Amino acid sequence: MNINKPLQFLVLGLSLLSLPGCLDNDDDDPAPIEQNTQITVTPSLGLIKNADIQVLTLSDNQPVSGATGSTGDSGSATITIPAGSTGPFIVEVMPTSESEYFDEAKGTFLPLPTDTKLRAVLSALQSQVGVTTLTEIAANSIVSANVTDASSVNAVNEQIRKALAPALQSILQAPQLISENAAGSVNNDQGGIYAVTLAALANLGSTQDNPALAILNSLKADFLDNQLDGKVGDKAFQNPIYNADSFISDLSTQITTYANSFGVSDLASDINSTFLLNEIKKTLEGLEEILDGLNLDDLNFDFIPDGFLPDDDDDDNDGDDQDDQGNDGSTSTLTITGTTTTAGITTELPAITVNNVPAPNPEDLNAIEQQIKTQVESQGITVTNLEFNLVSASSEKVVVSVKYSFSTSGVTVTADLTYTWSPGYTDSDSSDDDSSDDMLPDALSSKVFTLTFKLSESGSSYTDGQKVRFTFSSSGKLFIDVDPDASNGDEITIDSFDKEGDEYNYSDQANGFRYSVAVLNDKLHEVNLFAIGGGLLGQFVEQASDGEIPSLEALTALAGTYVVTGDGHSRGTVIIGQDGAVDFDSGVSYAASDIVAIFDRKDITEEPRVQVNYGSDDDGPSIRIFLNTDLQTVKMMRYTHNTENISVEVTVESISGGGN
């Protein structure tokens, strides 16, 4: 889910207040282990030979006394952690001059350079520990951001698992080791799934001399900003070894190829259900505050294959808006203050200060409020009487008031919070050219619509009849919640649109779709879904419900009794009622309550028409009423029921009176 940073910290404040006493709770401090504890460490880029292993404490990055071992030829090391040691722990691979790893893309052992970083961070000890590409991606973020608490360590590890290996129970488990004779010997279990996933990742770097290392170093840098896009912040890779746009499909293809090549029928029989390919994604969620201490400018990226693209004219960008929040490259400090009242006793909340949080655009506050309501519910907090108000907004500070109540353990808690961003919001994109093309119309601006998807062609990620919520901010952003009933927030955010006539086009480059939002007669007409560079996939429309039929007036405006001629029509008249009922012919009549959807297409130049569907899609019963150029009189009508191979077209001769 993509939500902007100001919103994330609004939700953070609400979540903190829902847990009484959590701000002063020291019970989560790790306790020293009570006795010597033995762990078996299995590093893998493929099997790793003759590498040393050491264990360090995360808090000070210092080695644990005596906690060392070597993988030898077997690829695993048994290490004893002495009593009194306190986690979380770093388990680190220390290559020697004799270290080798089996590169699953090359199918052979390759030298493992002594400067290779391969780590795993554990919140607590476990008997079997895997150290892999996935654990290094997580460890790199944890260590770079100076994260030391157990819950945050778990959160980062879990997000990497969800993003790249959703079929695994944990990225810290030991994978099955793969070497020369792996084909046909991979187990149909968690270790085997892990092995195939690592092999597939390695093969994405197959063009490199050391594929597994190249993909490891690229991915761990790419994910530092919580999204896989071939960049670290604003710095793009000089020679990316994978295509960020097609990463998910490319990885899925490699997983399928490897699972089949290993010859395990159970593992390869249903690739998607085994590896959950549909759940692989390129973003990490909810880690912004955990990784707040990560400063990309302070990190060394010499390990990235071929480095970054050179910066062009850095001095020319001074003062540019680099954070896409309209702050001219500067960031704000967010301060959360306020009180909570429980059983008549008011307690002042200790001030929460969060640095480097862009101030929100005041014009987006209506959309942000809608998101907050959804996000709060997703935190498991039942909130009542939510009030969200802009107190003030200037370049110096933005102040928002949030008031609400919630119940916990049968007791009602009332919160009165103030969020202050300093400095405030500055719109660097404003100019003297106040073009209306850059603004949404009143029909869309600050509006929320829940629409129903109607399938036209295959290839869409939406299903026929799926409800989707569209939220338009006054600044032009579009937030899409693909499952409003789940109350888990917006999955898609699109920052800008292109205007063509009365249509506002939003391109979702990450998923390959274009949403064309049509406005007709100062109202939202429909949202058409296109494949980028391709054709129409379907439409989002308002669904008739509770006796209300969207766009019914487009049909009732054409009420009358029409004298018609045409093959297959027996009665010679078509009657459109004032209530929206249509009697097309003997045995073919529909009440207004039968209507599933009405499409007002008078804006189509070639064939202006009104289409009435009585089924779930265009293949069901449908009547199209074609209009003359005045858009007020009817020239012909067509009744179709494609699933029954029925199509009857009639020409209007005259209209003899009003409909019933």
Side-chain angles (χ1 to χ4, degrees):
M1 176 181 55
N2 295 321
I3 59 177
N4 55 38
K5 284 190 176 181
L7 173 58
Q8 288 173 327
F9 287 104
L10 287 170
V11 176
L12 170 64
L14 296 173
S15 302
L16 289 175
L17 286 174
S18 71
L19 303 173
C22 71
L23 295 174
D24 299 314
N25 188 356
D26 295 326
D27 293 340
D28 292 334
D29 290 342
I33 60 175
E34 297 180 355
Q35 58 187 12
N36 291 354
T37 302
Q38 195 172 79
I39 64 173
T40 299
V41 178
T42 304
S44 180
L45 297 170
L47 188 147
I48 296 177
K49 293 181 180 180
N50 303 317
D52 292 337
I53 307 292
Q54 69 171 352
V55 177
L56 307 92
T57 51
L58 178 62
S59 60
D60 57 9
N61 201 36
Q62 293 299 307
V64 175
S65 178
T68 59
S70 175
T71 62
D73 289 334
S74 70
S76 294
T78 300
I79 297 173
T80 299
I81 314 299
S85 302
T86 302
F89 299 97
I90 303 172
V91 179
E92 183 171 11
V93 178
M94 306 288 290
T96 69
S97 59
E98 298 179 355
S99 298
E100 295 179 303
Y101 78 98
F102 184 79
D103 194 292
E104 293 150 288
K106 295 295 186 182
T108 188
F109 277 97
L110 298 175
L112 184 64
T114 56
D115 60 353
T116 299
K117 283 286 188 183
L118 192 60
R119 299 163 290 182
V121 181
L122 293 72
S123 62
L125 294 178
Q126 57 190 56
S127 60
Q128 299 286 332
V129 179
V131 186
T132 69
T133 299
L134 301 186
T135 65
E136 172 59 24
I137 295 171
N140 190 51
S141 293
I142 291 169
V143 174
S144 298
N146 297 314
V147 170
T148 58
D149 64 286
S151 60
S152 295
V153 167
N154 290 335
V156 177
N157 284 330
E158 176 65 5
Q159 280 301 309
I160 296 298
R161 182 196 70 81
K162 286 183 176 180
L164 295 177
L168 294 180
Q169 295 171 359
S170 168
I171 63 172
L172 296 172
Q173 68 193 45
Q176 182 179 350
L177 293 178
I178 293 181
S179 57
E180 296 101 328
N181 301 313
S185 62
V186 176
N187 299 329
N188 181 23
D189 58 16
Q190 284 284 297
I193 290 174
Y194 207 162
V196 171
T197 301
L198 294 174
L201 284 169
N203 209 50
L204 290 179
S206 60
T207 60
Q208 305 296 302
D209 292 336
N210 297 81
L213 285 177
I215 199 73
L216 163 70
N217 289 328
S218 293
L219 286 175
K220 76 176 187 179
D222 202 339
F223 265 120
L224 279 172
D225 55 8
N226 290 339
Q227 58 181 345
L228 191 148
D229 55 5
K231 298 187 293 185
V232 180
D234 294 328
K235 297 180 178 180
F237 293 164
Q238 172 89 10
N239 293 306
I241 64 174
Y242 50 79
N243 185 330
D245 291 335
S246 61
F247 177 84
I248 293 175
S249 61
D250 293 344
L251 178 57
S252 299
T253 298
Q254 292 301 329
I255 287 175
T256 302
T257 300
Y258 268 87
N260 285 308
S261 71
F262 286 139
V264 181
S265 59
D266 290 342
L267 194 63
S269 60
D270 191 341
I271 297 297
N272 189 63
S273 62
T274 302
F275 289 90
L276 305 181
L277 300 181
N278 291 339
E279 296 183 24
I280 296 173
K281 55 188 178 181
K282 300 188 295 182
T283 58
L284 307 180
E285 299 169 0
L287 298 184
E288 283 79 3
E289 56 264 36
I290 292 175
L291 302 179
D292 183 55
L294 193 155
N295 187 342
L296 298 177
D297 293 333
D298 292 341
L299 302 181
N300 186 327
F301 293 103
D302 290 345
F303 58 83
I304 296 177
D306 297 325
F308 294 116
L309 283 172
D311 293 331
D312 293 329
D313 300 326
D314 285 344
D315 294 341
D316 293 341
N317 293 325
D318 290 347
D320 285 352
D321 179 8
Q322 298 296 323
D323 57 16
D324 199 28
Q325 295 292 329
N327 291 315
D328 299 326
S330 64
T331 56
S332 300
T333 296
L334 168 63
T335 303
I336 305 173
T337 58
T339 61
T340 59
T341 301
T342 306
I345 300 175
T346 299
T347 303
E348 186 170 350
L349 173 71
I352 302 172
T353 300
V354 187
N355 295 319
N356 302 319
V357 183
N361 182 347
E363 293 184 355
D364 284 342
L365 290 181
N366 287 336
I368 292 175
E369 178 182 7
Q370 179 64 38
Q371 286 186 293
I372 285 176
K373 291 178 180 178
T374 303
Q375 278 299 107
V376 170
E377 293 172 358
S378 73
Q379 302 291 320
I381 307 169
T382 302
V383 171
T384 57
N385 304 320
L386 176 63
E387 297 180 19
F388 180 87
N389 296 299
L390 176 66
V391 177
S392 64
S394 69
S395 59
E396 295 182 358
K397 63 181 178 180
V398 173
V399 182
V400 173
S401 170
V402 181
K403 300 178 182 179
Y404 65 97
S405 299
F406 64 89
S407 296
T408 177
S409 302
V411 178
T412 298
V413 180
T414 301
D416 186 348
L417 306 180
T418 299
Y419 292 78
T420 303
W421 288 265
S422 180
Y425 178 83
T426 302
D427 186 2
S428 62
D429 293 330
S430 62
S431 66
D432 294 335
D433 179 16
D434 186 18
S435 172
S436 60
D437 286 350
D438 296 331
M439 301 175 60
L440 288 176
D442 291 340
L444 301 177
S445 180
S446 301
K447 299 292 195 307
V448 180
F449 303 91
T450 299
L451 306 178
T452 301
F453 185 66
K454 297 298 179 183
L455 187 65
S456 175
E457 298 290 343
S458 61
S460 165
S461 59
Y462 298 97
T463 58
D464 189 48
Q466 179 177 345
K467 293 187 181 300
V468 178
R469 179 178 293 137
F470 293 82
T471 301
F472 298 89
S473 76
S474 59
S475 64
K477 291 183 180 180
L478 172 60
F479 306 96
I480 302 176
D481 184 352
V482 301
D483 188 5
D485 293 337
S487 298
N488 59 358
D490 301 305
E491 286 79 9
I492 301 170
T493 299
I494 307 176
D495 291 334
S496 60
F497 62 86
D498 294 318
K499 186 174 184 294
E500 295 181 12
D502 290 329
E503 294 188 345
Y504 300 81
N505 295 305
Y506 289 86
S507 294
D508 178 10
Q509 297 290 343
N511 295 303
F513 298 126
R514 174 168 61 88
Y515 297 83
S516 182
V517 184
V519 174
L520 183 65
N521 299 326
D522 297 324
K523 293 175 57 179
L524 172 68
H525 178 43
E526 62 191 9
V527 179
N528 291 306
L529 181 70
F530 295 88
I532 292 180
L536 178 68
L537 299 176
Q539 299 160 326
F540 299 90
V541 297
E542 290 188 279
Q543 184 77 36
S545 62
D546 299 329
E548 295 185 4
I549 304 174
S551 300
L552 180 63
E553 66 278 3
L555 176 61
T556 57
L558 304 174
T561 299
Y562 295 86
V563 177
V564 300
T565 59
D567 292 340
H569 196 278
S570 61
R571 192 178 60 207
T573 59
V574 174
I575 303 171
I576 300 176
Q578 297 283 354
D579 61 350
V582 179
D583 184 356
F584 186 81
D585 197 3
S586 300
V588 183
S589 62
Y590 297 94
S593 59
D594 295 326
I595 296 173
V596 173
I598 297 176
F599 302 96
D600 186 344
R601 304 193 185 282
K602 292 194 290 287
D603 58 328
I604 298 178
T605 305
E606 294 80 5
E607 289 187 327
R609 62 188 181 273
V610 174
Q611 177 176 330
V612 187
N613 281 6
Y614 299 98
S616 61
D617 55 31
D618 288 354
D619 288 333
S622 178
I623 295 175
R624 293 168 175 81
I625 305 169
F626 295 89
L627 306 178
N628 292 304
T629 55
D630 61 6
L631 303 182
Q632 296 179 357
T633 57
V634 179
K635 67 176 181 179
M636 61 177 287
M637 304 184 203
R638 182 185 301 138
Y639 168 71
T640 60
H641 192 170
N642 293 338
T643 57
E644 301 291 335
N645 294 318
I646 297 174
S647 179
V648 178
E649 185 173 297
V650 296
T651 301
V652 173
E653 299 291 333
S654 64
I655 180 171
S656 62
N660 296 328

